[in-house]
Amino acid sequence: FKVHKWTGSKTLGTSEGIVTVYKGANRVGKYTVPPCLGDKRWWTVFTIDSSEGVNALHEGDILQPAYIDAATEAHKSWSLSFDTARWSTVTSVKGNAAVITALNLQSATRLHHLDGVKYMDLKDGQDVEPRCEDVSLEGTLAEEQWAACPAGMFFNGFYRTGSKYDGLAGLEQLTKAMCCTANMGSAAPVDWGLCHIAPITPDPGYKRC
């Protein structure tokens, strides 16, 4: 709920305005315009979280946290793009950040047999472009070390060097990753939460988190 100063000689900060919130006959909140607003034209008074089982009132502007929408899961074929040196990424049709959730590995030893991925939208409720950056994987996979996105970001794609014709086929040819997250300013995700190790078996098929 926001207040807009439309006209008048006073500034919003000196208006001494009061907003009172009732739930039925009960007063559940009372807010006074803070003087620090000065001559600003807008004041965010409160936010109602109407989530099922919550129905809470919060002072000020509360942003919905980013979340992965399982209903948006889709498949992207990489059967051709992984044959040569290039980026292979996924894209949300709705403009959200898209994050990889499963790898379609048709071989445990041949990189060009990473035939595709499944992915989901990382939604933020703010209708803004996602924030993405490419991250170097040099010296990690070749040394059999973990490769990860920066905290709070998720894999969106990979860049491979070489080709399926050069006699090399290992993960060391993955030299960069595209990492994305919801673009929410100071409210953007800053960590991943609980993580676990998912085994990748040698049989062909999808390997899912």
Side-chain angles (χ1 to χ4, degrees), residues 122-144:
L122 179 65
K123 292 189 173 180
D124 57 28
Q126 304 302 307
D127 194 28
V128 294
E129 290 291 323
R131 178 169 61 89
C132 298
E133 61 182 74
D134 60 87
V135 176
S136 174
L137 304 181
E138 296 278 2
T140 55
L141 298 177
E143 300 297 328
E144 299 184 359

Side-chain angles (χ1 to χ4, degrees), residues 57-160:
L57 187 70
H58 302 278
E59 184 174 2
D61 197 2
I62 303 297
L63 296 177
Q64 182 185 44
Y67 64 96
I68 292 177
D69 185 359
T72 64
E73 185 174 63
H75 163 79
K76 177 69 177 291
S77 173
W78 286 353
S79 58
L80 295 179
S81 66
F82 244 73
D83 287 351
T84 55
R86 58 185 293 187
W87 278 103
S88 296
T89 59
V90 293
T91 305
S92 164
V93 297
K94 296 184 178 180
N96 301 305
V99 298
I100 295 170
T101 57
L103 304 175
N104 184 12
L105 295 173
Q106 295 301 310
S107 169
T109 58
R110 297 183 179 276
L111 183 58
H112 68 273
H113 282 166
L114 201 173
D115 278 0
V117 293
K118 288 187 177 181
Y119 63 96
M120 298 179 188
D121 284 13
L122 179 65
K123 292 189 173 180
D124 57 28
Q126 304 302 307
D127 194 28
V128 294
E129 290 291 323
R131 178 169 61 89
C132 298
E133 61 182 74
D134 60 87
V135 176
S136 174
L137 304 181
E138 296 278 2
T140 55
L141 298 177
E143 300 297 328
E144 299 184 359
Q145 298 175 2
W146 285 107
C149 286
M153 305 187 80
F154 304 87
F155 284 127
N156 170 268
F158 301 98
Y159 182 87
R160 70 154 297 170

Side-chain angles (χ1 to χ4, degrees), residues 63 184-190:
L63 296 177
M184 301 175 65
S186 61
V190 294

